[in-house]
PDB file of all heavy atoms in Angstrom:
ATOM      1  N   MET A   4     -17.876  38.281 -58.437  1.00  0.00           N
ATOM      2  CA  MET A   4     -18.289  37.035 -57.782  1.00  0.00           C
ATOM      3  C   MET A   4     -17.085  36.423 -57.092  1.00  0.00           C
ATOM      4  O   MET A   4     -15.966  36.454 -57.610  1.00  0.00           O
ATOM      5  CB  MET A   4     -18.868  36.066 -58.814  1.00  0.00           C
ATOM      6  CG  MET A   4     -19.515  34.835 -58.215  1.00  0.00           C
ATOM      7  SD  MET A   4     -20.567  33.940 -59.383  1.00  0.00           S
ATOM      8  CE  MET A   4     -19.363  33.257 -60.504  1.00  0.00           C
ATOM      9  N   PRO A  16     -14.385  14.793 -42.254  1.00  0.00           N
ATOM     10  CA  PRO A  16     -13.511  15.911 -41.892  1.00  0.00           C
ATOM     11  C   PRO A  16     -12.107  15.419 -41.589  1.00  0.00           C
ATOM     12  O   PRO A  16     -11.921  14.353 -40.994  1.00  0.00           O
ATOM     13  CB  PRO A  16     -14.175  16.500 -40.644  1.00  0.00           C
ATOM     14  CG  PRO A  16     -15.583  16.016 -40.680  1.00  0.00           C
ATOM     15  CD  PRO A  16     -15.539  14.671 -41.348  1.00  0.00           C
ATOM     16  N   GLU A  30     -22.299  40.972 -55.501  1.00  0.00           N
ATOM     17  CA  GLU A  30     -23.077  42.174 -55.231  1.00  0.00           C
ATOM     18  C   GLU A  30     -24.001  42.466 -56.414  1.00  0.00           C
ATOM     19  O   GLU A  30     -23.623  42.280 -57.577  1.00  0.00           O
ATOM     20  CB  GLU A  30     -22.161  43.382 -54.999  1.00  0.00           C
ATOM     21  CG  GLU A  30     -21.562  43.435 -53.614  1.00  0.00           C
ATOM     22  CD  GLU A  30     -20.533  42.335 -53.357  1.00  0.00           C
ATOM     23  OE1 GLU A  30     -19.638  42.159 -54.209  1.00  0.00           O
ATOM     24  OE2 GLU A  30     -20.639  41.651 -52.311  1.00  0.00           O
ATOM     25  N   VAL A  39     -24.687  32.489 -51.379  1.00  0.00           N
ATOM     26  CA  VAL A  39     -25.176  31.134 -51.630  1.00  0.00           C
ATOM     27  C   VAL A  39     -24.192  30.149 -51.007  1.00  0.00           C
ATOM     28  O   VAL A  39     -22.969  30.303 -51.147  1.00  0.00           O
ATOM     29  CB  VAL A  39     -25.309  30.870 -53.139  1.00  0.00           C
ATOM     30  CG1 VAL A  39     -25.582  29.400 -53.424  1.00  0.00           C
ATOM     31  CG2 VAL A  39     -26.411  31.741 -53.729  1.00  0.00           C
ATOM     32  N   ASP A  42     -23.418  23.020 -50.433  1.00  0.00           N
ATOM     33  CA  ASP A  42     -23.153  21.897 -49.531  1.00  0.00           C
ATOM     34  C   ASP A  42     -22.823  22.382 -48.118  1.00  0.00           C
ATOM     35  O   ASP A  42     -22.323  23.486 -47.909  1.00  0.00           O
ATOM     36  CB  ASP A  42     -22.046  20.977 -50.063  1.00  0.00           C
ATOM     37  CG  ASP A  42     -22.524  20.083 -51.197  1.00  0.00           C
ATOM     38  OD1 ASP A  42     -23.746  19.922 -51.363  1.00  0.00           O
ATOM     39  OD2 ASP A  42     -21.670  19.524 -51.917  1.00  0.00           O
ATOM     40  N   SER A  66     -25.509  19.212 -53.361  1.00  0.00           N
ATOM     41  CA  SER A  66     -25.158  18.405 -54.532  1.00  0.00           C
ATOM     42  C   SER A  66     -25.737  16.999 -54.450  1.00  0.00           C
ATOM     43  O   SER A  66     -26.260  16.471 -55.433  1.00  0.00           O
ATOM     44  CB  SER A  66     -23.639  18.342 -54.700  1.00  0.00           C
ATOM     45  OG  SER A  66     -23.026  17.686 -53.594  1.00  0.00           O
ATOM     46  N   ASP A  71     -21.106  13.654 -45.866  1.00  0.00           N
ATOM     47  CA  ASP A  71     -20.014  14.621 -45.964  1.00  0.00           C
ATOM     48  C   ASP A  71     -20.379  15.824 -46.832  1.00  0.00           C
ATOM     49  O   ASP A  71     -19.546  16.724 -47.026  1.00  0.00           O
ATOM     50  CB  ASP A  71     -18.729  13.964 -46.460  1.00  0.00           C
ATOM     51  CG  ASP A  71     -18.864  13.309 -47.824  1.00  0.00           C
ATOM     52  OD1 ASP A  71     -19.908  12.706 -48.101  1.00  0.00           O
ATOM     53  OD2 ASP A  71     -17.906  13.377 -48.621  1.00  0.00           O
ATOM     54  N   VAL A  81     -30.861  23.827 -36.149  1.00  0.00           N
ATOM     55  CA  VAL A  81     -30.914  24.152 -34.717  1.00  0.00           C
ATOM     56  C   VAL A  81     -30.465  25.596 -34.488  1.00  0.00           C
ATOM     57  O   VAL A  81     -31.106  26.367 -33.755  1.00  0.00           O
ATOM     58  CB  VAL A  81     -30.040  23.173 -33.910  1.00  0.00           C
ATOM     59  CG1 VAL A  81     -29.918  23.622 -32.461  1.00  0.00           C
ATOM     60  CG2 VAL A  81     -30.615  21.762 -33.983  1.00  0.00           C
ATOM     61  N   ARG A  83     -30.533  28.139 -36.462  1.00  0.00           N
ATOM     62  CA  ARG A  83     -31.479  29.111 -36.991  1.00  0.00           C
ATOM     63  C   ARG A  83     -32.821  29.074 -36.251  1.00  0.00           C
ATOM     64  O   ARG A  83     -33.480  30.099 -36.112  1.00  0.00           O
ATOM     65  CB  ARG A  83     -31.712  28.859 -38.486  1.00  0.00           C
ATOM     66  CG  ARG A  83     -30.491  29.125 -39.353  1.00  0.00           C
ATOM     67  CD  ARG A  83     -30.753  28.692 -40.797  1.00  0.00           C
ATOM     68  NE  ARG A  83     -31.930  29.351 -41.342  1.00  0.00           N
ATOM     69  CZ  ARG A  83     -31.922  30.508 -41.981  1.00  0.00           C
ATOM     70  NH1 ARG A  83     -30.783  31.158 -42.154  1.00  0.00           N
ATOM     71  NH2 ARG A  83     -33.045  31.028 -42.461  1.00  0.00           N
ATOM     72  N   TYR A  85     -33.591  27.950 -32.961  1.00  0.00           N
ATOM     73  CA  TYR A  85     -33.682  28.127 -31.517  1.00  0.00           C
ATOM     74  C   TYR A  85     -32.880  29.306 -30.986  1.00  0.00           C
ATOM     75  O   TYR A  85     -32.657  29.403 -29.783  1.00  0.00           O
ATOM     76  CB  TYR A  85     -33.244  26.838 -30.815  1.00  0.00           C
ATOM     77  CG  TYR A  85     -34.159  25.678 -31.129  1.00  0.00           C
ATOM     78  CD1 TYR A  85     -33.748  24.648 -31.968  1.00  0.00           C
ATOM     79  CD2 TYR A  85     -35.453  25.633 -30.614  1.00  0.00           C
ATOM     80  CE1 TYR A  85     -34.597  23.589 -32.269  1.00  0.00           C
ATOM     81  CE2 TYR A  85     -36.308  24.583 -30.914  1.00  0.00           C
ATOM     82  CZ  TYR A  85     -35.865  23.563 -31.736  1.00  0.00           C
ATOM     83  OH  TYR A  85     -36.711  22.513 -32.049  1.00  0.00           O
ATOM     84  N   ARG A  95     -34.157  29.357 -48.554  1.00  0.00           N
ATOM     85  CA  ARG A  95     -34.341  28.560 -49.763  1.00  0.00           C
ATOM     86  C   ARG A  95     -33.312  27.424 -49.789  1.00  0.00           C
ATOM     87  O   ARG A  95     -32.116  27.658 -49.583  1.00  0.00           O
ATOM     88  CB  ARG A  95     -34.170  29.425 -51.010  1.00  0.00           C
ATOM     89  CG  ARG A  95     -35.234  30.483 -51.184  1.00  0.00           C
ATOM     90  CD  ARG A  95     -34.904  31.413 -52.336  1.00  0.00           C
ATOM     91  NE  ARG A  95     -34.914  30.723 -53.632  1.00  0.00           N
ATOM     92  CZ  ARG A  95     -34.517  31.295 -54.769  1.00  0.00           C
ATOM     93  NH1 ARG A  95     -34.057  32.546 -54.767  1.00  0.00           N
ATOM     94  NH2 ARG A  95     -34.566  30.621 -55.900  1.00  0.00           N
ATOM     95  N   PRO A 100     -34.241  15.249 -54.955  1.00  0.00           N
ATOM     96  CA  PRO A 100     -35.468  14.775 -54.318  1.00  0.00           C
ATOM     97  C   PRO A 100     -35.142  13.905 -53.106  1.00  0.00           C
ATOM     98  O   PRO A 100     -34.180  13.133 -53.118  1.00  0.00           O
ATOM     99  CB  PRO A 100     -36.135  13.953 -55.427  1.00  0.00           C
ATOM    100  CG  PRO A 100     -35.607  14.528 -56.699  1.00  0.00           C
ATOM    101  CD  PRO A 100     -34.192  14.936 -56.397  1.00  0.00           C
ATOM    102  N   ARG A 105     -34.072  12.870 -45.884  1.00  0.00           N
ATOM    103  CA  ARG A 105     -32.711  12.494 -45.478  1.00  0.00           C
ATOM    104  C   ARG A 105     -32.297  13.246 -44.214  1.00  0.00           C
ATOM    105  O   ARG A 105     -31.705  12.659 -43.296  1.00  0.00           O
ATOM    106  CB  ARG A 105     -31.731  12.785 -46.612  1.00  0.00           C
ATOM    107  CG  ARG A 105     -30.273  12.523 -46.281  1.00  0.00           C
ATOM    108  CD  ARG A 105     -30.001  11.084 -45.962  1.00  0.00           C
ATOM    109  NE  ARG A 105     -28.569  10.821 -45.919  1.00  0.00           N
ATOM    110  CZ  ARG A 105     -27.989   9.971 -45.081  1.00  0.00           C
ATOM    111  NH1 ARG A 105     -28.724   9.298 -44.196  1.00  0.00           N
ATOM    112  NH2 ARG A 105     -26.699   9.790 -45.110  1.00  0.00           N
ATOM    113  N   THR A 119     -36.923  20.117 -40.397  1.00  0.00           N
ATOM    114  CA  THR A 119     -37.014  20.731 -41.721  1.00  0.00           C
ATOM    115  C   THR A 119     -37.706  22.088 -41.716  1.00  0.00           C
ATOM    116  O   THR A 119     -37.848  22.707 -42.768  1.00  0.00           O
ATOM    117  CB  THR A 119     -37.769  19.791 -42.677  1.00  0.00           C
ATOM    118  OG1 THR A 119     -39.099  19.584 -42.190  1.00  0.00           O
ATOM    119  CG2 THR A 119     -37.060  18.450 -42.777  1.00  0.00           C
ATOM    120  N   GLN A 121     -36.811  24.996 -41.015  1.00  0.00           N
ATOM    121  CA  GLN A 121     -36.030  26.148 -41.424  1.00  0.00           C
ATOM    122  C   GLN A 121     -35.740  26.178 -42.920  1.00  0.00           C
ATOM    123  O   GLN A 121     -34.978  27.011 -43.394  1.00  0.00           O
ATOM    124  CB  GLN A 121     -34.710  26.188 -40.646  1.00  0.00           C
ATOM    125  CG  GLN A 121     -34.824  26.848 -39.297  1.00  0.00           C
ATOM    126  CD  GLN A 121     -35.241  28.298 -39.425  1.00  0.00           C
ATOM    127  OE1 GLN A 121     -34.643  29.078 -40.153  1.00  0.00           O
ATOM    128  NE2 GLN A 121     -36.299  28.674 -38.716  1.00  0.00           N
ATOM    129  N   PHE A 124     -37.958  24.194 -49.343  1.00  0.00           N
ATOM    130  CA  PHE A 124     -37.268  23.245 -50.226  1.00  0.00           C
ATOM    131  C   PHE A 124     -37.895  23.160 -51.606  1.00  0.00           C
ATOM    132  O   PHE A 124     -39.118  23.106 -51.748  1.00  0.00           O
ATOM    133  CB  PHE A 124     -37.265  21.851 -49.596  1.00  0.00           C
ATOM    134  CG  PHE A 124     -36.652  20.804 -50.482  1.00  0.00           C
ATOM    135  CD1 PHE A 124     -35.297  20.830 -50.764  1.00  0.00           C
ATOM    136  CD2 PHE A 124     -37.432  19.813 -51.057  1.00  0.00           C
ATOM    137  CE1 PHE A 124     -34.720  19.882 -51.590  1.00  0.00           C
ATOM    138  CE2 PHE A 124     -36.878  18.854 -51.884  1.00  0.00           C
ATOM    139  CZ  PHE A 124     -35.511  18.892 -52.150  1.00  0.00           C
ATOM    140  N   VAL A 131     -33.132  23.358 -65.416  1.00  0.00           N
ATOM    141  CA  VAL A 131     -33.969  24.471 -64.967  1.00  0.00           C
ATOM    142  C   VAL A 131     -33.140  25.355 -64.030  1.00  0.00           C
ATOM    143  O   VAL A 131     -32.837  24.956 -62.901  1.00  0.00           O
ATOM    144  CB  VAL A 131     -35.238  23.976 -64.246  1.00  0.00           C
ATOM    145  CG1 VAL A 131     -36.066  25.161 -63.744  1.00  0.00           C
ATOM    146  CG2 VAL A 131     -36.068  23.095 -65.173  1.00  0.00           C
ATOM    147  N   LEU A 138     -27.163  36.141 -59.129  1.00  0.00           N
ATOM    148  CA  LEU A 138     -26.575  34.839 -59.419  1.00  0.00           C
ATOM    149  C   LEU A 138     -27.601  33.915 -60.071  1.00  0.00           C
ATOM    150  O   LEU A 138     -28.776  33.908 -59.704  1.00  0.00           O
ATOM    151  CB  LEU A 138     -26.067  34.183 -58.135  1.00  0.00           C
ATOM    152  CG  LEU A 138     -24.965  34.938 -57.388  1.00  0.00           C
ATOM    153  CD1 LEU A 138     -24.711  34.310 -56.021  1.00  0.00           C
ATOM    154  CD2 LEU A 138     -23.671  34.951 -58.208  1.00  0.00           C
ATOM    155  N   THR A 176     -18.519  13.058 -58.480  1.00  0.00           N
ATOM    156  CA  THR A 176     -18.841  12.473 -59.772  1.00  0.00           C
ATOM    157  C   THR A 176     -17.636  11.742 -60.342  1.00  0.00           C
ATOM    158  O   THR A 176     -16.500  11.998 -59.948  1.00  0.00           O
ATOM    159  CB  THR A 176     -19.287  13.549 -60.772  1.00  0.00           C
ATOM    160  OG1 THR A 176     -19.722  12.934 -61.988  1.00  0.00           O
ATOM    161  CG2 THR A 176     -18.164  14.524 -61.098  1.00  0.00           C
ATOM    162  N   ASP A 190     -14.877  29.960 -65.905  1.00  0.00           N
ATOM    163  CA  ASP A 190     -13.711  30.704 -65.425  1.00  0.00           C
ATOM    164  C   ASP A 190     -12.984  29.947 -64.328  1.00  0.00           C
ATOM    165  O   ASP A 190     -11.760  30.092 -64.179  1.00  0.00           O
ATOM    166  CB  ASP A 190     -14.158  32.072 -64.913  1.00  0.00           C
ATOM    167  CG  ASP A 190     -14.764  32.915 -66.018  1.00  0.00           C
ATOM    168  OD1 ASP A 190     -13.994  33.549 -66.759  1.00  0.00           O
ATOM    169  OD2 ASP A 190     -16.002  32.912 -66.149  1.00  0.00           O
ATOM    170  N   GLU A 200      -4.972   7.569 -59.415  1.00  0.00           N
ATOM    171  CA  GLU A 200      -4.738   6.692 -60.561  1.00  0.00           C
ATOM    172  C   GLU A 200      -3.923   5.468 -60.137  1.00  0.00           C
ATOM    173  O   GLU A 200      -3.013   5.558 -59.319  1.00  0.00           O
ATOM    174  CB  GLU A 200      -3.989   7.447 -61.664  1.00  0.00           C
ATOM    175  CG  GLU A 200      -4.799   8.540 -62.335  1.00  0.00           C
ATOM    176  CD  GLU A 200      -5.880   7.979 -63.238  1.00  0.00           C
ATOM    177  OE1 GLU A 200      -5.653   6.942 -63.883  1.00  0.00           O
ATOM    178  OE2 GLU A 200      -6.959   8.601 -63.302  1.00  0.00           O
ATOM    179  N   ARG A 207     -15.043   2.651 -60.408  1.00  0.00           N
ATOM    180  CA  ARG A 207     -15.566   3.637 -61.344  1.00  0.00           C
ATOM    181  C   ARG A 207     -17.009   3.995 -61.000  1.00  0.00           C
ATOM    182  O   ARG A 207     -17.703   3.275 -60.298  1.00  0.00           O
ATOM    183  CB  ARG A 207     -15.471   3.121 -62.779  1.00  0.00           C
ATOM    184  CG  ARG A 207     -14.027   2.909 -63.275  1.00  0.00           C
ATOM    185  CD  ARG A 207     -13.137   4.127 -63.064  1.00  0.00           C
ATOM    186  NE  ARG A 207     -13.632   5.316 -63.731  1.00  0.00           N
ATOM    187  CZ  ARG A 207     -13.177   5.768 -64.903  1.00  0.00           C
ATOM    188  NH1 ARG A 207     -12.227   5.106 -65.547  1.00  0.00           N
ATOM    189  NH2 ARG A 207     -13.674   6.874 -65.426  1.00  0.00           N
ATOM    190  N   VAL A 209     -17.864   6.650 -59.220  1.00  0.00           N
ATOM    191  CA  VAL A 209     -17.966   7.215 -57.875  1.00  0.00           C
ATOM    192  C   VAL A 209     -17.266   8.576 -57.791  1.00  0.00           C
ATOM    193  O   VAL A 209     -17.884   9.595 -57.492  1.00  0.00           O
ATOM    194  CB  VAL A 209     -17.382   6.255 -56.814  1.00  0.00           C
ATOM    195  CG1 VAL A 209     -17.593   6.824 -55.404  1.00  0.00           C
ATOM    196  CG2 VAL A 209     -18.002   4.874 -56.924  1.00  0.00           C
ATOM    197  N   LEU A 211     -13.702  11.236 -59.153  1.00  0.00           N
ATOM    198  CA  LEU A 211     -12.639  11.571 -60.086  1.00  0.00           C
ATOM    199  C   LEU A 211     -11.279  11.355 -59.458  1.00  0.00           C
ATOM    200  O   LEU A 211     -11.138  11.325 -58.233  1.00  0.00           O
ATOM    201  CB  LEU A 211     -12.754  13.040 -60.505  1.00  0.00           C
ATOM    202  CG  LEU A 211     -14.002  13.451 -61.287  1.00  0.00           C
ATOM    203  CD1 LEU A 211     -14.061  14.974 -61.411  1.00  0.00           C
ATOM    204  CD2 LEU A 211     -14.023  12.792 -62.654  1.00  0.00           C
ATOM    205  N   ALA A 220     -10.973  19.758 -67.170  1.00  0.00           N
ATOM    206  CA  ALA A 220     -10.651  21.187 -67.241  1.00  0.00           C
ATOM    207  C   ALA A 220     -10.006  21.536 -68.572  1.00  0.00           C
ATOM    208  O   ALA A 220     -10.306  22.580 -69.171  1.00  0.00           O
ATOM    209  CB  ALA A 220      -9.735  21.569 -66.085  1.00  0.00           C
ATOM    210  N   ALA A 244      -0.079  16.488 -59.151  1.00  0.00           N
ATOM    211  CA  ALA A 244       0.760  16.065 -60.279  1.00  0.00           C
ATOM    212  C   ALA A 244      -0.065  15.379 -61.355  1.00  0.00           C
ATOM    213  O   ALA A 244       0.174  15.564 -62.564  1.00  0.00           O
ATOM    214  CB  ALA A 244       1.867  15.145 -59.786  1.00  0.00           C
ATOM    215  N   PRO A 253      -3.760  27.251 -64.640  1.00  0.00           N
ATOM    216  CA  PRO A 253      -3.435  27.320 -63.207  1.00  0.00           C
ATOM    217  C   PRO A 253      -4.266  26.318 -62.407  1.00  0.00           C
ATOM    218  O   PRO A 253      -5.467  26.165 -62.637  1.00  0.00           O
ATOM    219  CB  PRO A 253      -3.782  28.757 -62.835  1.00  0.00           C
ATOM    220  CG  PRO A 253      -4.734  29.220 -63.891  1.00  0.00           C
ATOM    221  CD  PRO A 253      -4.388  28.491 -65.139  1.00  0.00           C
ATOM    222  N   PRO A 259      -9.017  25.331 -46.647  1.00  0.00           N
ATOM    223  CA  PRO A 259     -10.025  26.107 -45.915  1.00  0.00           C
ATOM    224  C   PRO A 259      -9.644  27.570 -45.830  1.00  0.00           C
ATOM    225  O   PRO A 259      -8.485  27.920 -45.554  1.00  0.00           O
ATOM    226  CB  PRO A 259     -10.039  25.446 -44.536  1.00  0.00           C
ATOM    227  CG  PRO A 259      -9.499  24.079 -44.754  1.00  0.00           C
ATOM    228  CD  PRO A 259      -8.490  24.217 -45.855  1.00  0.00           C
ATOM    229  N   TYR A 263     -11.384  32.961 -53.914  1.00  0.00           N
ATOM    230  CA  TYR A 263     -11.107  33.156 -55.339  1.00  0.00           C
ATOM    231  C   TYR A 263     -12.037  34.242 -55.852  1.00  0.00           C
ATOM    232  O   TYR A 263     -13.261  34.128 -55.770  1.00  0.00           O
ATOM    233  CB  TYR A 263     -11.323  31.859 -56.106  1.00  0.00           C
ATOM    234  CG  TYR A 263     -10.341  30.778 -55.715  1.00  0.00           C
ATOM    235  CD1 TYR A 263     -10.645  29.880 -54.684  1.00  0.00           C
ATOM    236  CD2 TYR A 263      -9.103  30.683 -56.316  1.00  0.00           C
ATOM    237  CE1 TYR A 263      -9.740  28.903 -54.305  1.00  0.00           C
ATOM    238  CE2 TYR A 263      -8.175  29.721 -55.934  1.00  0.00           C
ATOM    239  CZ  TYR A 263      -8.512  28.820 -54.938  1.00  0.00           C
ATOM    240  OH  TYR A 263      -7.603  27.869 -54.544  1.00  0.00           O
TER     241      TYR A 263
END
Side-chain angles (χ1 to χ4, degrees):
M4 189 164 70
E30 281 69 49
V39 170
D42 284 343
S66 64
D71 59 321
V81 171
R83 293 173 56 90
Y85 296 107
R95 294 173 65 187
R105 176 62 168 144
T119 62
Q121 275 298 308
F124 176 68
V131 178
L138 298 171
T176 186
D190 297 277
E200 292 288 324
R207 295 309 301 260
V209 184
L211 296 170
Y263 295 91

